[in-house]
């Protein structure tokens, strides 16, 4: 039997549930709406927003995308966000990161109404997650990893989990999700980062490793205890002279070496990525339901 965790298949299950909720809203005259904002022409952001738009269409969400030039000022972006905050047809707002360097990302995320913050990046939602208050929105990638663990039957309660990477988008919220006193949580979580002394020693103790540090093939076979569950969040572009484009995308895990040892493992692509979009769609329908109760 394969040890692969099929994120695409699980994401499709969730999409089916979300599409039903979107249809139910339509049945009572509500068209759920999601606004994307992209600033500049970062190639990866173009691809990500394009994929999210396509999935929105497929599920029956009405999405709108505003693309602003790189030279857009912070004040101009704040004006757009204020307009979207006040637009009753918009239930969710997603400002794609990274933003150009002259814009303070934290200021932008804090300007999105917490009720429309389907990214879960507003300080109110970050605080709710930390407090175990389940009325907020949880960032889509760590929420997707969590849901994938749950739906794959991985035991989280009491597990030793190592999270690699302390970013605000994945590592920190992932840690907060798994350490809560709650069903499908109650884990002992170790957060490792670039200044951790012996990452391998921490990893070898782990029942579950969640790799989100953004270093290609960082997790090698010697770091994984036989039978451990390995979730690969990384998206790294590396040179590949054999490919037409001269490069290819790989995860934070040396998949070929780790798969034979791992109990369960996410492929990459096809693991965590599809789950991120599934959580975004679910957060958006939730926002629309709450706004129109
Ligand atoms: N950039 C990378 N991941 C994300 C995400 O989950 N949301 C947004 N808005 N930007 C991102």
């Amino acid at each position: 039997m394969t040890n692969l965790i099929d994120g695409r298949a699980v994401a499709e299950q969730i999409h089916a549930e979300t599409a039903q909720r979107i249809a139910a809203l339509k049945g009572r005259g509500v068209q759920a709406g999601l606004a994307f904002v992209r600033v500049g022409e970062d190639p990866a952001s173009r691809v990500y927003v394009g994929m999210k738009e396509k999935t929105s269409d497929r599920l029956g969400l009405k999405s709108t995308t505003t693309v602003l030039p790189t030279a857009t000022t912070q004040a101009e972006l704040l004006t757009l966000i204020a307009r979207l905050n006040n637009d009753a047809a918009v239930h969710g707002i997603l400002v794609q990161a990274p933003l150009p360097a002259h814009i303070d990302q934290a200021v932008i995320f804090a300007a999105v109404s917490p009720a429309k913050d389907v990214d879960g990046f507003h300080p109110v939602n970050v605080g709710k997650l930390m407090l175990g208050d389940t009325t907020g929105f949880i960032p889509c990638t760590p929420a997707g990893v969590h849901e994938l663990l749950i739906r794959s039957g991985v035991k989280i309660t009491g597990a030793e989990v190592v999270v690699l990477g302390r970013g605000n988008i994945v590592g920190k919220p992932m840690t907060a999700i798994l350490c809560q006193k709650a069903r499908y949580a109650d884990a002992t979580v170790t957060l490792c980062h670039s200044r951790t002394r012996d990452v391998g020693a921490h990893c070898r103790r782990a029942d579950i490793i969640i790799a989100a540090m953004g270093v290609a093939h960082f997790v090698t076979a010697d770091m994984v205890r036989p039978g451990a569950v390995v979730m690969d969040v990384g998206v790294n572009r590396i040179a590949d002279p054999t490919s037409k484009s001269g490069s290819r995308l790989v995860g934070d895990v040396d998949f070929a070496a780790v798969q034979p040892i791992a109990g369960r493992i996410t492929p990459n692509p096809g693991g965590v990525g599809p789950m991120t979009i599934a959580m975004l769609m679910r957060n958006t329908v939730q926002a629309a339901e709450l706004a129109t109760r």
Side-chain angles (χ1 to χ4, degrees), residues 52 94-97 119 121 141 169:
K52 293 169 191 174
L94 183 143
V95 183
Q96 184 68 28
D119 255 332
F121 294 164
T141 300
I169 293 183

Side-chain angles (χ1 to χ4, degrees), residues 135-157:
T135 66
F137 293 106
I138 298 178
C140 301
T141 300
V145 172
H146 189 217
E147 193 70 36
L148 198 48
L149 288 169
I150 294 169
R151 294 195 189 215
S152 304
V154 174
K155 184 166 178 271
I156 304 170
T157 305

Side-chain angles (χ1 to χ4, degrees), residues 2-5 164 203-204 206-211 215-232 251-268:
T2 175
N3 63 351
L4 288 180
I5 293 179
L164 301 173
C203 286
R204 281 186 286 278
D207 302 305
I208 302 170
I209 296 173
I210 301 170
V215 179
H217 292 166
F218 181 86
V219 178
T220 47
D222 60 299
M223 296 166 76
V224 178
R225 195 173 55 70
V229 176
V230 180
M231 310 296 280
D232 187 359
D252 287 359
V253 176
D254 181 354
F255 181 85
V258 172
Q259 187 194 9
I261 300 166
R264 310 288 302 278
I265 186 168
T266 56
N268 189 342

Side-chain angles (χ1 to χ4, degrees), residues 162 164 192-193 196-204 213 218 223:
V162 166
L164 301 173
C192 295
H193 49 75
T196 297
R197 254 186 288 136
D198 187 349
V199 177
H202 289 291
C203 286
R204 281 186 286 278
M213 55 214 309
F218 181 86
M223 296 166 76

